[in-house]
Amino acid sequence: MKNPYKDKSWFKFLSNKYIWSLLFFVIWMLFLDNYSYFDHRVLDNQIGELEDNKTYYQEEIKKDEAQIKQLKNPLQVEKYAREKYYMKKDSEDIYIIEFEGDTIEKQ
């Protein structure tokens, strides 16, 4: 019995062993391999997030270094302690006045 599709171009294309090998290789690389395309996409997204975190933390380090430089001055240390921790000298009294509806957050 003769195959009626043997002379068709699409049949010749699909019956080629190199096409099947290529198709198998592409499916393997996209879905099944440990280093598949989809795994790489996830890893690339994680790398992007980590690089964003890196830039954020580098900026925070620069801010902290500037603040540390300011705190080397004894007057700045005193100012910081008074503003942040409500510290006072022995001969002083501190009154904290809060208004209703203040938008300043306490830290």
Side-chain angles (χ1 to χ4, degrees):
M1 177 180 249
K2 186 177 178 187
N3 190 348
Y5 301 112
K6 191 172 185 176
D7 294 332
K8 304 286 184 179
S9 62
W10 61 268
F11 183 76
K12 288 181 181 179
F13 180 76
L14 290 178
S15 63
N16 190 341
K17 64 182 175 183
Y18 297 110
I19 297 298
W20 283 103
S21 300
L22 180 65
L23 183 64
F24 175 75
F25 176 75
V26 168
I27 290 173
W28 181 269
M29 292 305 289
L30 284 178
F31 300 106
L32 303 174
D33 193 35
N34 287 339
Y35 304 105
S36 69
Y37 172 74
F38 299 111
D39 289 341
H40 275 283
R41 284 184 46 201
V42 169
L43 292 174
D44 287 340
N45 289 338
Q46 289 178 353
I47 288 171
E49 290 175 8
L50 291 173
E51 287 175 350
D52 291 341
N53 286 344
K54 178 184 173 184
T55 56
Y56 169 76
Y57 286 120
Q58 285 175 341
E59 291 172 5
E60 290 296 316
I61 287 171
K62 288 179 185 177
K63 289 178 189 176
D64 290 344
E65 286 174 350
Q67 192 172 21
I68 288 171
K69 282 183 183 179
Q70 287 181 349
L71 290 176
K72 288 185 179 178
N73 183 356
L75 296 175
Q76 290 293 332
V77 172
E78 182 180 343
K79 179 182 174 187
Y80 184 79
R82 286 174 177 267
E83 291 176 357
K84 188 80 173 173
Y85 298 109
Y86 304 112
M87 291 185 166
K88 64 180 184 77
K89 293 181 181 177
D90 290 335
S91 62
E92 292 179 337
D93 290 329
I94 294 180
Y95 299 100
I96 299 172
I97 301 171
E98 294 182 7
F99 297 101
E100 290 183 20
D102 258 349
T103 58
I104 299 174
E105 295 181 13
K106 294 181 184 178
Q107 294 181 0

